[in-house]
Structures are given as structure tokens and as C-alpha cells.
Amino acid sequence: MCGIVAYIGHKQARPLILEGLKRLEYRGYDSAGIAVIDGSLNIARAVGRVSVLEEQLEGRRGFSGTIGMGHTRWATHGGVTEVNAHPHRDDRHGLAVIHNGIIENYAALKTYLQDKGHTFSSQTDTEVISMLISELYEGDLEAAVQAALREVTGAYAIAVICEKEPDTLVVARKGSPLIVGIGDGEYIVASDPSAIVAHAAQAFTLDDYNVVKITRDGFRTSNLHNAQVTLNPKIEQLEIDLAQIELGHYRHFMQKEIYEQPQALRNCCGGRLDRKEGRVVLGGLSSISKELSKLRRVVLTAQGTALHAAMIGRYLMEDLAKIPAQTEYASEFRYRNPVVEEGTAVVAVSQSGETADTLAALHEARERGAMALGVINVVGSSISRETDAGVYLRVGPEIGVASTKAFTGQVAVLTMITMFLARKRYMSADQCSDLIGEMEALPGKIERILEQDDRVRRVTEKYVERENWLFLGRGYNYPTALEGALKLKEISYIHAEGMPAAEMKHGPIALINEGMPAVFIANRGRQYEKVMSNIQEVRARKGHVIAVATEGDDRITKYAEDVLWIPDVPEPLSPMLAVVPLQLMAYHAAVLRGHDVDKPRNLAKSVTVE
Ligand code: M6R
């Protein structure tokens, strides 16, 4: 949600900031803005994409300084207007603020500041921060930021510059990510490494309540009371390279990430599967190996696509490790009064590691005595820092707003965790070894599915004008059906419902009319016959059946209008294959309908607000 980038150094800030904003645009893209100190503080803002801002800046004077900052917005408080776009300027000292997060006590602060004579021009919570810093400014920007943030409740990552101190950039964080890249006499600060990696090889992440004062000569890290703090974690090498965050020959990041899945799975499982010994080696869990032997219950919590992966994790844990497991929307779990018994592990599943509800749910569970585990992609993210242990996905940066390779990575990691736990209980080394063999074959099988891409596009083309779709599956592939529906909804804006196939008869069957597309995941498995009956129920009502089925299944072709094939695979691993044609369908539907696949309306990549 919202991307921020700030620069201080010896280069022109403007092009560098615009480039960074483009890389961060997937975090929010309803408006954008930039501030540069070029003698005085100058600000430009525009509704729409960063490219609109860039056009607006062409030929404009006053933006040639070597210190500046920019913002790409996903609106929370206040509509999508130029006035509400960041940066927000104060009314006294020539200072400006960019912000990612939500200030909860902004209304009370605004009244206080209005009483002090400040005049507001926007409806945002961020403008309150700039006015508060202004009110407390006595010639020391760092001190004013610290004092202001002592009054603020809520979440923030902010950057502040002031024309009275043109050689100082102050940044701070609580609850929203912020990373400082260190170059040669220059610093670039951003919401995530993608905006930094082209300019800095080393970086450090801010902890909550850290305030960093940066000049061209160095930086100082303090807390809100001006006590110096040591960095945790310390300065590290950035581990991503430019190719990972560039499109290459692909048209969209979502397409690139769908195609990256074979390699992403190889990276995810690499070094973790020991087929010879029949065991799974998860370094991230070794410190709590003893506690895991006493595990009595697993609660998997997440949102969106990550929740669908978690639901598959639940099936895996119960089926293969015989551990009682449940899944919870993090947003519900955190506000219920959940009973957390002794021996419970809560597993937070999240690509970004920044989802506000998932972070809060994990926190809540931990307070209640649960062991906190993470299945996270972004190393060093807020959730990963809150966990006792965890396993990273290692699938590389995911930039498309619609999650794809993170989903397969999440399911793969949950499968490995299950095998790790199962080996401590009922799974023999031979059984584990067999399953490892099947896991190792998955990337090749996904490559075979990707070869059908043209066929998936042609099938999608037949139904793309239809406004209502159903996605149906059973067992392990009920969550896959939910994921197929979510993918279609979020990027093509087609209404789609996912559900367990058997649930259809309890109401949704009334929706089926002539030609309505119903996508069935009908791979070979324990519930194959049942799914076949459900398919016939749809056919009897003149719905169009599109089946995702196992290669070599001749029977399905008699009942489904269209079949998308997946290679044979043991049922517990089948979601990692069955989801791929569904991702491709959603992708093609969005392209055929002319939508901006990587920047679907109203969405942002990570939801760092409630
Ligand atoms: O970063 P996270 O995995 O925690 O994000 C959770 C959801 O917001 C995310 O999966 C969302 O549903 C995706 N846009 C779906 O494609």
C-alpha cells in the first residue's frame, strides 16, 4: 500500500525518484507526487500513474536538486485527488512529508493543530504529520520528527525533508516497511528493495520506532526519545538483482511470474529435500525442533491467496502428519477471542510479510502463548521478524498484484513443513522419499502445463464475455477452486464464485443457466467420481463445463466442453499443478478484456492497513 522513495546524494534526485516510483507502482497507483529541494522546496503531484507525473514535470523548473522524495498512493483517507496526493507540505517552514500507513489519532491531532492556527488543504491523515512536525520544529528536523511521532498512534513509514535543512533527510518507521540503501556518498530509502537495487548494493531495514537522520556524510539511528539505537538487522548485501524485477520479454509481471513457477519451485525446494535419507531439511525450523515434536495443534492464518495456500496446508497437516489443523482469516482471528491451547503453533502465511491483519493475528496468538511460525517470501519483513521460526519461500520478488508464484511456493513450503512434522510422527523414510521424488518432478510437470498456454487462451476466449463463473473442486482442490475464482475476479473483474463442488446443490445451483461457465477441478483422486456427478448436474442445467483433468482421462472428455490437462500427480501435490491453468485463464481473460493486468483497479500488492 503506497510506495515511498527518497534520495540524498550527489546525483539529480528527480530521475532517480521517478525510476524508483515506477518500480514501486505495484504498491499503489491512484496518484503520485515528488518533492525536490532546489533552492527551495518544490512539489508536483498528479492523479493517475507515475507516467502522468513524469509528463507533468517535463520542462518544469525547480526540480534539479540532489535531495528529494516521491510517493505513489493507494488511497485510505481522502479521495483520489491531486490535493490528497503526497508529498504533503506544512504551512510554515517549507517542509514536506511522504507517508505509508494510517495515523489513527489524526482527527484529534488535526483539531489540536487547527486550534494552533494551521490550515489544512487535504483530507489525508498524512497532512497532520507534516503540520505536527512543523508545529514542533525549532531548527532541528530530526528532533521535530521524533517529537511529532511521540504523539502519533497508528502505522507509518515516513520521509521528511525541509528547505531550511537542505542537506538532511529524516525517515522513520512503525509498522510499515522501510529500507535504506547505502551507495557511494548517497542514500536511497524506499518501501522495498526493488527501488533501491539499481543504486545500492548494501542496505538496512528500519525497526519499529527507529528514526534515521541521513546526510551525505552518513546517518544516525535513534529512537523517538533521541537515544541512539544499534541496527537490527545490521547492514546487509541486497540479495535481488535487476533481472528479477524487470519484465524481460514478458508483457506483464503476472505472466512472467506464472512462467517462473518451475524455477521458483526448484529454488524453493533446493537443498531442502533429501530423497536418499527420506527427510526434509528445514534450517529455519531447527531451533525449535524439540518443541515441534510436542505440537498438538496448528492454526494457519493469512488473507487472500495466502489463505487459500493455508487451507491446502491444513489438509496436508491433517492428512499426512495427522496433526489437528485449522485455518483462519487473520482479520477475524485477531478480533475473536480465540482459545489457544498449550502446544499450538500459529503459522502466518504471507508473500509480503507485511499484511497488517496477518501480522496482528500472529501477534495476538503469540500473546496467548502460541509458538509463532512464518511462511513468508520477503526476507526481513515485519511478520518474519515477529516469528519464533519459519521457512522462507525463496521464489524471488513477486511484483504482479495477482499472486501466482508465491501461491505455489507457499503450498510447496507447507508441504515440506508437513513432511518434516510427519517424519517425527507417522511417515516412514521410504514414504517421505517417494513423496520427495514427486515433489522434485513438479517443476517439469508445470513446464508441460505451460506448453498448453495457447490452448488455455483459446478456451478462455470462448467464455470471456460471460459475467458469472463458478469454480468447483473438492478435497485438496477446493481451495484451488477458491484461488481460481479470486484470480479471475481480481484482474478481469468477472464475477466468480469458488466453492466445494458438493455445496453447489445447497443453493448456488440456482445460478446455473444456459452457457454459464463452470470450471471443475476434476483430477484423478479420492473424490473423482463425486466430482463427475457434480459435472453432470451442471451439464443437465445447460452450464458449460471446463475441466482441469489428469492427462489420459478419456472419460472426462465426454462430459466437459473443454479440458485443460495436468500431468498425473499424488493428490496432496495436485493443487500446485491444478492452479496453473486457472492462473493462465485469469491472465488471458484480463488481457482479452483489455485490463491492466499488473495494476488491477482498487487493489495494491500488499495490504498494510486494516
Ligand atoms: O502479502 P500477502 O501474501 O500477505 O498478501 C495477502 C493477500 O493480500 C494477497 O494474497 C492477495 O489476495 C493477492 N492479491 C491475490 O492475488
Side-chain angles (χ1 to χ4, degrees), residues 227-412:
Q228 195 146 343
V229 294
T230 45
L231 292 171
N232 172 34
K234 297 189 181 60
I235 295 171
E236 289 174 323
Q237 284 298 118
L238 281 171
E239 278 185 8
I240 59 170
D241 61 53
L242 270 180
Q244 286 179 296
I245 54 170
E246 279 176 352
L247 266 179
H249 65 277
Y250 292 97
R251 235 179 117 185
H252 299 101
F253 280 106
M254 181 188 183
Q255 182 191 32
K256 179 180 184 230
E257 287 154 9
I258 291 172
Y259 272 83
E260 277 175 353
Q261 286 177 112
Q263 190 53 42
L265 274 192
R266 287 185 189 105
N267 297 344
C268 174
C269 299
R272 290 169 164 170
L273 300 174
D274 181 348
R275 172 134 64 128
K276 212 163 141 230
E277 298 291 324
R279 62 185 189 128
V280 173
V281 185
L282 297 174
L285 299 186
S286 57
S287 63
I288 53 153
S289 190
K290 260 199 202 134
E291 289 88 330
L292 288 176
S293 306
K294 295 182 224 140
L295 201 62
R296 304 218 321 241
R297 171 169 293 276
V298 175
V299 178
L300 299 124
T301 191
Q303 295 290 143
T305 288
L307 184 74
H308 301 151
M311 290 168 80
I312 295 164
R314 174 200 176 175
Y315 281 60
L316 288 162
M317 301 247 174
E318 290 177 342
D319 190 19
L320 303 182
K322 315 270 178 267
I323 298 174
Q326 67 196 72
T327 46
E328 298 270 2
Y329 280 105
S331 54
E332 292 297 314
F333 183 79
R334 64 182 290 196
Y335 289 118
R336 281 203 288 109
N337 200 359
V339 178
V340 177
E341 298 148 329
E342 214 188 314
T344 300
V346 170
V347 184
V349 184
S350 173
Q351 187 286 128
S352 61
E354 301 293 345
T355 299
D357 283 320
T358 310
L359 179 61
L362 189 76
H363 196 74
E364 179 66 35
R366 221 177 172 194
E367 295 272 289
R368 289 170 188 253
M371 194 189 308
L373 305 182
V375 172
I376 310 290
N377 194 32
V378 178
V379 177
S381 54
S382 301
I383 299 179
S384 70
R385 286 144 164 255
E386 279 266 339
T387 55
D388 297 312
V391 182
Y392 281 118
L393 305 187
R394 301 201 310 216
V395 298
E398 190 181 67
I399 292 171
V401 168
S403 187
T404 52
K405 65 175 178 176
F407 174 81
T408 38
Q410 284 156 352
V411 178

